[in-house]
Amino acid sequence: MATLHTVNKSPFETQALLSCLGHAKAGDTVLLIEDGVYGAAGGTALTDAVAGLGGAVTLAVLAPDLKARGIDEGRLMDGVKTVDYAGFVELAASHDRTQNWL
Amino acid sequence: MEDGVKKFLYVNRKAPYGTIYALEALEVVLIGAAFDQDVSLAFLDDGVFQLTKGQDTKEIGVKNFSPTFRALGDYEVTKLYVEKESLDERGLTTDDLQEITYEDEDDDWAEKPSIIIVSRSEMADVMAGQDVILSF
């Protein structure tokens, strides 16, 4: 009964990502899209909070949105998965529900 | 300052593609540049993401407007203030920003950097020294 969470806002601008992380359960996936992708970068003021998720929640990022913003995949925190649009669809299909954090 | 010339500051606080603010700000700067004012741009908070190098928007179907920043020098827009603390908080350094230069007419057209890294308190001083501030 896993949930796919999507976050589309910059974590430096809104609390959406932090709130999402506080509500994600073991087995869930948090997919960062649009301006949400900034939340997956390492070495930021928010990295510790995001890394604190632990291994039970999968963190993923939509690669085309990352690329658009000039954020190299090498900057991502350890353990972050990148997916393309087809991967996004697969995540939506393989989870029981999708919750969008706007 | 010459008569009639005002100091205009365009404040950019939004990331480039999630909203239309960043693109609109750039359009307004380019239009405003035609009016011979003393123009500066400020990049703070998520606005610093507008200047990252290597932006490639092909797969999201949106125009990549980041190369336009490099044309600002041709419009005599040569002061792009970037806040150090905003870079730090986002794990960015000046190496992550694209190189933006202008040719200095008063110095034998020497090529000079347009990006000026300032601290938060220096940014406050920049803001305090303006006649008009437009925020995006």
Side-chain angles (χ1 to χ4, degrees), chain A residues 10-13 34-35 38 41-46 63-65 67-71 75 84-85, chain B residues 13-19 46 49 52-57 59-60 88-93 96:
Chain A
S10 164
F12 304 102
E13 187 168 19
E34 301 169 21
D35 282 350
Y38 295 121
T44 77
L46 290 168
D65 282 325
K67 228 167 133 181
R69 289 160 179 78
I71 305 296
R75 305 191 69 91
D84 56 12
Y85 288 117
Chain B
R13 295 185 47 253
K14 298 282 198 293
Y17 302 109
T19 67
D46 278 353
F49 285 133
T52 54
K53 61 186 174 194
Q55 295 178 27
D56 177 359
T57 61
E59 291 174 46
I60 65 167
D88 290 346
E89 286 159 10
R90 287 159 184 78
L92 299 176
T93 69
D96 296 309

Side-chain angles (χ1 to χ4, degrees), chain A residues 4-74:
Chain A
L4 171 66
H5 302 266
T6 65
V7 179
N8 76 337
K9 297 292 190 297
S10 164
F12 304 102
E13 187 168 19
T14 79
Q15 297 280 318
L17 176 60
L18 291 178
S19 189
C20 169
L21 296 179
H23 295 85
K25 296 171 79 72
D28 286 359
T29 299
V30 174
L31 174 64
L32 305 176
I33 63 173
E34 301 169 21
D35 282 350
V37 299
Y38 295 121
T44 77
L46 290 168
T47 297
D48 285 349
V50 180
L53 260 181
V57 175
T58 303
L59 189 61
V61 62
L62 191 61
D65 282 325
L66 203 61
K67 228 167 133 181
R69 289 160 179 78
I71 305 296
D72 190 84
E73 284 191 22

Side-chain angles (χ1 to χ4, degrees), chain B residues 41-44 48 51 80-85 87 97 115-119 123:
Chain B
L41 273 61
F43 296 87
L44 61 152
V48 299
L51 299 176
L80 276 58
Y81 295 97
V82 178
E83 188 177 279
K84 175 79 163 52
E85 286 87 339
L87 289 173
L97 306 182
I115 290 181
I116 306 156
I117 307 290
V118 294
S119 68
M123 186 65 93

